[in-house]
Amino acid sequence: MDVLIKILALALMQIPSSDFKLCLMLVPEQYQNIESVVSLTELAEKIEACQYGAFWQLLDKKPEVLAVVPGLDVALRRSVFETVALSYQEISSKILCEFVNLPAERITDEFP
């Protein structure tokens, strides 16, 4: 089961690629109702729908997801940042901070 969760978490890191959905389709139905799989699926749905606030709130409630793959939160922040960069010509720093779930002083460190 640990391998399955790790594969799904690694696939989630590739958002906006469809890797997560493809991997999830290969998971037998009996395993899709396991709490960890459901959590990852919920996270994928939130980030794919650009519901970044809800995504980070859900992720904060599931610290075990971050423990599966080191750097998962960094990769997800980068994905959100890249999506926002493609979608917005201008954005306030306050909204960007909310989207990537970082304080303003860390934005320039994380995204030079």
Side-chain angles (χ1 to χ4, degrees), residues 60-107:
D60 286 343
K61 294 177 186 173
K62 308 282 185 182
E64 68 277 2
V65 172
L66 292 174
V68 173
V69 177
L72 177 63
D73 57 338
V74 174
L76 294 171
R77 275 193 186 93
R78 171 111 4 235
S79 174
V80 169
F81 183 81
E82 290 172 0
T83 301
V84 169
L86 290 171
S87 303
Y88 289 81
Q89 279 187 324
E90 294 181 18
I91 188 170
S92 72
S93 60
K94 180 183 176 195
I95 293 173
L96 180 61
C97 290
E98 290 173 14
F99 283 173
V100 296
N101 197 34
L102 284 176
E105 55 273 1
R106 288 199 42 211
I107 294 286

Side-chain angles (χ1 to χ4, degrees), residues 9-105:
L10 288 168
L12 183 62
M13 289 174 76
Q14 303 306 313
I15 293 281
S17 171
S18 61
D19 291 359
F20 183 83
K21 286 184 179 181
L22 293 172
C23 288
L24 191 60
M25 287 181 193
L26 296 173
V27 175
E29 190 174 343
Q30 66 203 37
Y31 296 113
Q32 290 189 12
N33 294 324
I34 294 172
E35 184 179 344
S36 297
V37 175
V38 171
S39 294
L40 286 168
T41 304
E42 289 173 347
L43 287 167
E45 290 170 356
K46 298 289 184 204
I47 200 167
E48 287 174 348
C50 298
Q51 297 174 346
Y52 302 127
F55 169 79
W56 292 113
Q57 286 177 357
L58 183 59
L59 189 59
D60 286 343
K61 294 177 186 173
K62 308 282 185 182
E64 68 277 2
V65 172
L66 292 174
V68 173
V69 177
L72 177 63
D73 57 338
V74 174
L76 294 171
R77 275 193 186 93
R78 171 111 4 235
S79 174
V80 169
F81 183 81
E82 290 172 0
T83 301
V84 169
L86 290 171
S87 303
Y88 289 81
Q89 279 187 324
E90 294 181 18
I91 188 170
S92 72
S93 60
K94 180 183 176 195
I95 293 173
L96 180 61
C97 290
E98 290 173 14
F99 283 173
V100 296
N101 197 34
L102 284 176
E105 55 273 1

